[in-house]
Protein backbone atom coordinates (compact mmCIF):
# COMPACT_ATOMS: atom_id res chain seq x y z
CA UNK A 1 0.00 0.00 0.00
CA UNK A 2 1.45 3.33 -1.09
CA UNK A 3 0.76 6.71 0.52
CA UNK A 4 0.70 9.95 -1.51
CA UNK A 5 -0.54 13.48 -0.82
CA UNK A 6 -3.92 14.92 -1.76
CA UNK A 7 -5.69 18.28 -1.63
CA UNK A 8 -4.78 20.18 1.52
CA UNK A 9 -1.71 18.02 2.08
CA UNK A 10 -3.62 15.05 3.51
CA UNK A 11 -2.31 11.56 2.86
CA UNK A 12 -4.17 9.55 0.26
CA UNK A 13 -4.14 5.77 0.30
CA UNK A 14 -3.24 3.71 -2.71
CA UNK A 15 -4.83 0.28 -2.82
CA UNK A 16 -2.66 -2.14 -4.75
CA UNK A 17 -1.99 -5.86 -5.07
CA UNK A 18 0.02 -5.81 -1.84
CA UNK A 19 -2.67 -4.14 0.29
CA UNK A 20 -3.57 -6.75 2.96
CA UNK A 21 -7.33 -6.69 2.45
CA UNK A 22 -10.06 -8.82 0.95
CA UNK A 23 -13.13 -7.34 -0.72
CA UNK A 24 -16.64 -8.74 -0.66
CA UNK A 25 -19.50 -7.65 -2.92
CA UNK A 26 -22.14 -5.57 -1.19
CA UNK A 27 -24.30 -3.71 -3.73
CA UNK A 28 -24.24 -1.81 -7.01
CA UNK A 29 -26.08 0.68 -9.16
CA UNK A 30 -25.81 1.56 -12.82
CA UNK A 31 -22.46 3.32 -12.42
CA UNK A 32 -20.66 1.96 -9.34
CA UNK A 33 -20.09 -1.15 -7.26
CA UNK A 34 -19.73 -1.07 -3.47
CA UNK A 35 -17.55 -3.60 -1.65
CA UNK A 36 -17.14 -4.51 2.01
CA UNK A 37 -13.49 -4.32 3.06
CA UNK A 38 -12.16 -7.02 5.36
CA UNK A 39 -8.76 -8.18 6.53
CA UNK A 40 -6.89 -10.68 4.39
CA UNK A 41 -8.43 -13.44 6.51
CA UNK A 42 -11.58 -12.70 4.51
CA UNK A 43 -14.03 -12.37 7.40
CA UNK A 44 -15.56 -9.39 9.18
CA UNK A 45 -12.64 -7.48 10.64
CA UNK A 46 -12.05 -7.04 14.37
CA UNK A 47 -10.56 -3.97 16.05
CA UNK A 48 -7.16 -5.67 16.28
CA UNK A 49 -7.09 -6.05 12.48
CA UNK A 50 -6.53 -2.28 12.16
CA UNK A 51 -3.36 -0.45 13.07
CA UNK A 52 0.03 0.63 11.79
CA UNK A 53 0.68 -0.62 8.28
CA UNK A 54 3.45 -3.23 8.32
CA UNK A 55 2.55 -4.65 11.74
CA UNK A 56 0.64 -7.89 12.33
CA UNK A 57 -2.03 -9.16 14.69
CA UNK A 58 -1.31 -11.72 17.41
CA UNK A 59 -2.11 -14.50 14.94
CA UNK A 60 0.16 -13.06 12.24
CA UNK A 61 -2.41 -11.34 10.00
CA UNK A 62 -1.11 -8.06 8.43
CA UNK A 63 -2.96 -5.09 9.91
CA UNK A 64 -5.16 -2.80 7.80
CA UNK A 65 -4.67 0.96 7.71
CA UNK A 66 -6.93 2.62 10.31
CA UNK A 67 -8.43 4.86 7.62
CA UNK A 68 -10.22 1.84 6.19
CA UNK A 69 -12.09 1.20 9.44
CA UNK A 70 -15.83 1.85 9.18
CA UNK A 71 -15.57 2.33 5.41
CA UNK A 72 -16.90 0.67 2.29
CA UNK A 73 -15.10 0.80 -1.05
CA UNK A 74 -16.94 2.32 -4.01
CA UNK A 75 -15.49 1.70 -7.48
CA UNK A 76 -16.58 2.94 -10.91
CA UNK A 77 -17.85 0.58 -13.57
CA UNK A 78 -16.50 0.41 -17.11
CA UNK A 79 -19.43 2.39 -18.53
CA UNK A 80 -18.76 5.19 -21.07
CA UNK A 81 -21.30 7.67 -19.68
CA UNK A 82 -19.92 7.63 -16.12
CA UNK A 83 -17.82 10.60 -14.99
CA UNK A 84 -14.27 9.77 -13.78
CA UNK A 85 -14.11 9.52 -9.99
CA UNK A 86 -11.60 12.36 -9.57
CA UNK A 87 -13.78 14.82 -11.53
CA UNK A 88 -16.90 13.82 -9.61
CA UNK A 89 -15.10 14.03 -6.26
CA UNK A 90 -13.80 17.53 -7.01
CA UNK A 91 -17.34 18.66 -7.81
CA UNK A 92 -18.48 17.08 -4.54
CA UNK A 93 -15.79 18.88 -2.52
CA UNK A 94 -16.46 22.26 -4.13
CA UNK A 95 -20.21 22.28 -4.71
CA UNK A 96 -21.93 19.62 -2.57
CA UNK A 97 -20.02 19.21 0.67
CA UNK A 98 -20.26 22.90 1.71
CA UNK A 99 -24.09 22.74 1.50
CA UNK A 100 -24.62 20.24 4.33
CA UNK A 101 -23.50 19.59 7.91
CA UNK A 102 -20.80 16.86 7.89
CA UNK A 103 -22.97 14.49 9.95
CA UNK A 104 -25.65 14.63 7.25
CA UNK A 105 -23.42 13.24 4.49
CA UNK A 106 -21.96 9.85 3.73
CA UNK A 107 -18.35 10.94 4.06
CA UNK A 108 -16.14 10.01 1.13
CA UNK A 109 -12.38 9.72 1.15
CA UNK A 110 -10.52 9.65 -2.15
CA UNK A 111 -8.13 6.75 -2.65
CA UNK A 112 -5.91 5.69 -5.52
CA UNK A 113 -6.27 2.24 -7.06
CA UNK A 114 -3.96 0.25 -9.31
CA UNK A 115 -5.09 -1.88 -12.28
CA UNK A 116 -3.93 -4.98 -10.38
CA UNK A 117 -6.18 -4.14 -7.44
CA UNK A 118 -9.15 -3.49 -9.76
CA UNK A 119 -8.58 -6.86 -11.43
CA UNK A 120 -8.71 -8.46 -7.98
CA UNK A 121 -12.07 -6.75 -7.39
CA UNK A 122 -13.33 -7.84 -10.81
CA UNK A 123 -12.60 -11.44 -9.86
CA UNK A 124 -14.71 -10.98 -6.72
CA UNK A 125 -17.44 -9.43 -8.89
CA UNK A 126 -17.51 -12.33 -11.34
CA UNK A 127 -17.78 -14.83 -8.49
CA UNK A 128 -21.01 -13.09 -7.53
CA UNK A 129 -22.45 -13.99 -10.96
CA UNK A 130 -22.36 -17.70 -10.17
CA UNK A 131 -25.59 -19.52 -9.23
CA UNK A 132 -26.99 -18.68 -5.78
CA UNK A 133 -24.70 -15.65 -5.42
CA UNK A 134 -25.77 -12.03 -4.88
CA UNK A 135 -25.20 -10.09 -8.09
CA UNK A 136 -28.47 -9.28 -9.92
CA UNK A 137 -28.65 -10.96 -13.30
CA UNK A 138 -29.30 -7.67 -15.11
CA UNK A 139 -25.87 -6.49 -13.92
CA UNK A 140 -23.95 -9.54 -15.15
CA UNK A 141 -21.12 -8.94 -17.61
CA UNK A 142 -20.34 -5.36 -16.59
CA UNK A 143 -16.94 -5.04 -14.95
CA UNK A 144 -15.08 -2.32 -13.09
CA UNK A 145 -13.00 0.12 -15.11
CA UNK A 146 -9.33 -0.94 -15.10
CA UNK A 147 -8.33 2.47 -16.47
CA UNK A 148 -9.93 4.34 -13.55
CA UNK A 149 -7.22 5.59 -11.18
CA UNK A 150 -9.33 6.48 -8.13
CA UNK A 151 -11.99 5.04 -5.88
CA UNK A 152 -13.90 6.28 -2.85
CA UNK A 153 -13.90 5.08 0.74
CA UNK A 154 -17.37 5.85 2.08
CA UNK A 155 -19.08 5.75 5.46
CA UNK A 156 -20.38 2.26 6.21
CA UNK A 157 -24.16 2.59 6.64
CA UNK A 158 -24.92 -1.14 6.51
CA UNK A 159 -26.82 -2.94 9.25
CA UNK A 160 -25.09 -4.52 12.24
CA UNK A 161 -26.04 -6.38 15.43
CA UNK A 162 -27.68 -3.27 16.89
CA UNK A 163 -29.17 -1.60 13.81
CA UNK A 164 -31.38 -2.26 10.83
CA UNK A 165 -30.61 -0.24 7.73
CA UNK A 166 -32.43 0.97 4.66
CA UNK A 167 -31.76 3.24 1.72
CA UNK A 168 -33.86 4.94 -0.93
CA UNK A 169 -33.76 7.86 -3.36
CA UNK A 170 -35.88 10.85 -2.22
CA UNK A 171 -35.83 12.12 -5.83
CA UNK A 172 -37.51 15.47 -6.62
CA UNK A 173 -38.72 16.91 -3.30
CA UNK A 174 -40.16 19.96 -5.08
CA UNK A 175 -42.20 20.21 -8.27
CA UNK A 176 -40.33 20.68 -11.55
CA UNK A 177 -40.07 24.39 -12.47
CA UNK A 178 -41.24 23.41 -15.97
CA UNK A 179 -44.44 21.67 -14.85
CA UNK A 180 -47.68 23.23 -16.13
CA UNK A 181 -49.87 25.21 -13.71
CA UNK A 182 -52.49 23.07 -12.00
CA UNK A 183 -50.46 19.85 -12.36
CA UNK A 184 -51.88 16.77 -10.64
CA UNK A 185 -48.57 14.96 -10.44
CA UNK A 186 -45.13 15.98 -9.22
CA UNK A 187 -42.15 15.27 -11.43
CA UNK A 188 -41.35 11.88 -9.83
CA UNK A 189 -44.97 10.67 -9.92
CA UNK A 190 -45.42 11.91 -13.51
CA UNK A 191 -42.33 10.04 -14.69
CA UNK A 192 -43.42 6.88 -12.85
CA UNK A 193 -46.86 7.02 -14.48
CA UNK A 194 -45.36 7.48 -17.93
CA UNK A 195 -42.93 4.60 -17.48
CA UNK A 196 -45.69 2.32 -16.24
CA UNK A 197 -47.76 2.90 -19.35
CA UNK A 198 -44.87 2.92 -21.82
CA UNK A 199 -43.38 -0.30 -20.45
CA UNK A 200 -46.70 -2.15 -20.53
CA UNK A 201 -49.87 -1.24 -18.69
CA UNK A 202 -50.69 -4.87 -17.85
CA UNK A 203 -47.22 -5.58 -16.48
CA UNK A 204 -47.26 -2.31 -14.56
CA UNK A 205 -50.46 -3.38 -12.82
CA UNK A 206 -48.79 -6.62 -11.75
CA UNK A 207 -45.43 -5.09 -10.83
CA UNK A 208 -44.77 -4.99 -7.09
CA UNK A 209 -42.42 -2.07 -6.62
CA UNK A 210 -42.79 -1.75 -2.86
CA UNK A 211 -40.83 1.49 -2.62
CA UNK A 212 -43.30 3.60 -4.60
CA UNK A 213 -44.16 6.82 -2.76
CA UNK A 214 -44.72 10.48 -3.53
CA UNK A 215 -41.58 12.43 -2.50
CA UNK A 216 -43.65 15.51 -1.61
CA UNK A 217 -45.08 13.62 1.37
CA UNK A 218 -41.61 13.40 2.93
CA UNK A 219 -41.39 17.18 3.33
CA UNK A 220 -45.03 17.70 4.32
CA UNK A 221 -44.45 17.51 8.08
CA UNK A 222 -47.75 15.61 8.30
CA UNK A 223 -47.44 12.22 9.99
CA UNK A 224 -50.61 10.97 8.29
CA UNK A 225 -48.97 11.60 4.89
CA UNK A 226 -45.50 10.40 5.85
CA UNK A 227 -46.54 7.06 7.39
CA UNK A 228 -47.94 5.52 4.14
CA UNK A 229 -44.65 6.44 2.41
CA UNK A 230 -42.46 5.05 5.20
CA UNK A 231 -44.15 1.65 5.28
CA UNK A 232 -43.22 0.55 1.72
CA UNK A 233 -39.72 2.04 2.06
CA UNK A 234 -39.02 0.04 5.22
CA UNK A 235 -40.78 -3.07 3.98
CA UNK A 236 -38.53 -3.26 0.94
CA UNK A 237 -35.35 -3.28 3.04
CA UNK A 238 -36.28 -4.75 6.40
CA UNK A 239 -38.74 -7.41 5.32
CA UNK A 240 -41.40 -8.98 7.50
CA UNK A 241 -44.55 -6.82 7.75
CA UNK A 242 -44.90 -7.53 11.48
CA UNK A 243 -41.45 -6.08 12.13
CA UNK A 244 -42.21 -2.97 10.08
CA UNK A 245 -44.79 -1.55 12.47
CA UNK A 246 -42.26 -1.06 15.25
CA UNK A 247 -39.74 0.54 12.92
CA UNK A 248 -42.38 2.88 11.46
CA UNK A 249 -43.43 3.97 14.94
CA UNK A 250 -39.77 4.60 15.82
CA UNK A 251 -38.92 6.57 12.68
CA UNK A 252 -42.16 8.49 12.11
CA UNK A 253 -41.45 11.32 14.63
CA UNK A 254 -37.92 11.53 13.21
CA UNK A 255 -39.17 11.99 9.64
CA UNK A 256 -41.87 14.38 10.73
CA UNK A 257 -39.21 16.78 12.02
CA UNK A 258 -36.43 15.91 9.56
CA UNK A 259 -34.68 19.15 8.63
CA UNK A 260 -32.39 17.33 6.20
CA UNK A 261 -35.15 16.65 3.66
CA UNK A 262 -36.39 20.23 3.81
CA UNK A 263 -32.81 21.46 3.29
CA UNK A 264 -32.42 19.08 0.35
CA UNK A 265 -35.69 20.34 -1.16
CA UNK A 266 -34.71 23.99 -0.75
CA UNK A 267 -31.32 23.38 -2.37
CA UNK A 268 -32.92 21.58 -5.33
CA UNK A 269 -35.07 24.67 -5.90
CA UNK A 270 -32.23 27.14 -5.32
CA UNK A 271 -29.85 25.42 -7.74
CA UNK A 272 -32.42 25.04 -10.53
CA UNK A 273 -35.13 27.72 -10.29
CA UNK A 274 -35.98 27.74 -14.01
CA UNK A 275 -36.02 24.11 -15.12
CA UNK A 276 -34.15 22.02 -17.67
CA UNK A 277 -35.96 23.57 -20.67
CA UNK A 278 -34.66 27.05 -19.85
CA UNK A 279 -31.11 26.43 -18.64
CA UNK A 280 -27.73 25.50 -20.03
CA UNK A 281 -27.43 21.94 -18.77
CA UNK A 282 -23.66 22.37 -18.35
CA UNK A 283 -24.28 25.13 -15.79
CA UNK A 284 -22.63 24.05 -12.54
CA UNK A 285 -25.64 24.95 -10.38
CA UNK A 286 -27.94 22.92 -12.63
CA UNK A 287 -25.59 19.91 -12.53
CA UNK A 288 -25.55 20.25 -8.74
CA UNK A 289 -29.36 20.29 -8.68
CA UNK A 290 -29.48 17.10 -10.75
CA UNK A 291 -27.05 15.44 -8.34
CA UNK A 292 -29.27 16.48 -5.42
CA UNK A 293 -32.30 14.99 -7.21
CA UNK A 294 -30.62 11.61 -7.67
CA UNK A 295 -28.87 11.14 -4.33
CA UNK A 296 -29.54 8.27 -1.91
CA UNK A 297 -30.80 8.58 1.65
CA UNK A 298 -29.16 6.08 4.02
CA UNK A 299 -30.78 5.28 7.35
CA UNK A 300 -29.56 3.20 10.30
CA UNK A 301 -32.34 2.43 12.77
CA UNK A 302 -31.72 0.99 16.25
CA UNK A 303 -33.29 -2.39 16.89
CA UNK A 304 -36.20 -2.18 19.25
CA UNK A 305 -34.11 -3.94 21.92
CA UNK A 306 -31.54 -1.13 21.78
CA UNK A 307 -33.34 1.43 23.91
CA UNK A 308 -30.66 3.16 25.96
CA UNK A 309 -28.60 5.73 24.06
CA UNK A 310 -29.94 4.49 20.72
CA UNK A 311 -30.30 7.03 17.94
CA UNK A 312 -31.24 7.09 14.30
CA UNK A 313 -28.39 7.88 11.92
CA UNK A 314 -29.27 9.43 8.57
CA UNK A 315 -26.95 10.53 5.76
CA UNK A 316 -27.13 11.52 2.09
CA UNK A 317 -24.81 9.79 -0.36
CA UNK A 318 -24.30 8.94 -4.04
CA UNK A 319 -23.97 12.66 -4.76
CA UNK A 320 -22.16 12.13 -8.03
CA UNK A 321 -21.58 14.82 -10.63
CA UNK A 322 -24.38 14.82 -13.23
CA UNK A 323 -23.10 16.18 -16.54
CA UNK A 324 -25.04 16.52 -19.82
CA UNK A 325 -22.36 14.45 -21.57
CA UNK A 326 -23.14 11.24 -23.42
CA UNK A 327 -26.57 12.45 -24.46
CA UNK A 328 -27.85 12.87 -20.89
CA UNK A 329 -28.60 16.57 -21.42
CA UNK A 330 -30.80 15.76 -24.43
CA UNK A 331 -32.44 12.97 -22.44
CA UNK A 332 -33.32 15.33 -19.58
CA UNK A 333 -34.83 17.90 -21.96
CA UNK A 334 -36.70 15.35 -24.07
CA UNK A 335 -38.13 13.62 -21.00
CA UNK A 336 -39.37 16.89 -19.54
CA UNK A 337 -40.98 17.94 -22.81
CA UNK A 338 -42.65 14.55 -23.13
CA UNK A 339 -44.08 14.75 -19.61
CA UNK A 340 -45.58 18.14 -20.51
CA UNK A 341 -46.80 17.41 -24.05
CA UNK A 342 -48.37 14.02 -23.30
CA UNK A 343 -50.22 15.21 -20.19
CA UNK A 344 -48.37 13.19 -17.55
CA UNK A 345 -48.09 16.18 -15.19
CA UNK A 346 -51.75 17.12 -15.57
CA UNK A 347 -53.03 13.49 -15.52
CA UNK A 348 -54.61 13.96 -18.95
CA UNK A 349 -52.55 11.28 -20.73
CA UNK A 350 -54.28 9.33 -23.53
CA UNK A 351 -53.67 5.93 -21.94
CA UNK A 352 -54.43 6.27 -18.22
CA UNK A 353 -51.78 5.13 -15.78
CA UNK A 354 -52.62 2.01 -13.70
CA UNK A 355 -54.84 2.55 -10.68
CA UNK A 356 -53.92 1.44 -7.19
CA UNK A 357 -50.36 2.67 -7.42
CA UNK A 358 -48.86 5.56 -5.48
CA UNK A 359 -51.19 8.60 -5.45
CA UNK A 360 -49.35 11.89 -5.87
CA UNK A 361 -49.83 14.43 -3.10
CA UNK A 362 -50.77 17.06 -5.70
CA UNK A 363 -53.79 15.06 -6.79
CA UNK A 364 -55.09 14.85 -3.20
CA UNK A 365 -55.44 18.62 -2.86
Amino acid sequence: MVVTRSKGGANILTLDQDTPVSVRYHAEGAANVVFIITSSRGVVSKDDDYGTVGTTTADGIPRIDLRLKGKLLRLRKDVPSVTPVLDSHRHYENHIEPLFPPESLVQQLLCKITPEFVRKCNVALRIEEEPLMQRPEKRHGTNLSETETHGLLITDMTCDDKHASTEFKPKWLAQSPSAPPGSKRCRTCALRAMRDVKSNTKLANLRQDSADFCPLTLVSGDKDLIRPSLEPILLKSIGAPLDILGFVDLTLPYFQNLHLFRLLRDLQVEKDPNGVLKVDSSNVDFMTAMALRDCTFFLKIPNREEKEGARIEARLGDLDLKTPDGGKGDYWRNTEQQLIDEGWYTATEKTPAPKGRCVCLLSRK
Side-chain angles (χ1 to χ4, degrees), residues 191-207 338 344 351 353-354 357:
L191 182 62
R192 181 190 296 125
M194 183 178 77
R195 285 177 171 171
D196 278 352
V197 172
K198 300 281 186 186
S199 60
N200 185 311
T201 303
K202 185 182 238 182
L203 290 177
N205 272 310
L206 296 173
R207 186 165 63 92
Q338 191 173 14
W344 299 105
T351 303
R357 305 269 280 145

Side-chain angles (χ1 to χ4, degrees), residues 92-129:
Y92 172 83
E93 285 187 320
N94 293 326
H95 301 286
I96 300 287
E97 197 172 24
L99 301 175
F100 297 94
E103 65 274 12
S104 296
L105 294 174
V106 171
Q107 296 299 312
Q108 55 184 58
L109 180 68
L110 195 68
C111 65
K112 297 189 79 172
I113 51 176
T114 65
E116 293 80 11
F117 183 82
V118 177
R119 282 194 281 272
K120 174 180 175 180
C121 295
N122 270 329
V123 170
L125 197 56
R126 285 191 289 272
I127 289 173
E128 293 298 325
E129 297 181 358

Side-chain angles (χ1 to χ4, degrees), residues 187-262:
R187 204 277 186 177
T188 301
C189 290
L191 182 62
R192 181 190 296 125
M194 183 178 77
R195 285 177 171 171
D196 278 352
V197 172
K198 300 281 186 186
S199 60
N200 185 311
T201 303
K202 185 182 238 182
L203 290 177
N205 272 310
L206 296 173
R207 186 165 63 92
Q208 296 296 315
D209 186 354
S210 59
D212 282 349
F213 61 93
C214 175
L216 304 187
T217 62
L218 298 179
V219 289
S220 67
D222 185 336
K223 68 179 189 308
D224 293 329
L225 294 174
I226 298 171
R227 177 182 279 275
S229 294
L230 272 183
E231 289 174 354
I233 289 170
L234 294 175
L235 181 62
K236 186 173 183 180
S237 296
I238 296 174
L242 290 177
D243 293 337
I244 292 304
L245 298 177
F247 282 114
V248 170
D249 290 340
L250 179 64
T251 56
L252 187 55
Y254 180 81
F255 273 84
Q256 194 175 356
N257 299 289
L258 187 56
H259 172 70
L260 181 55
F261 277 163
R262 290 191 285 273

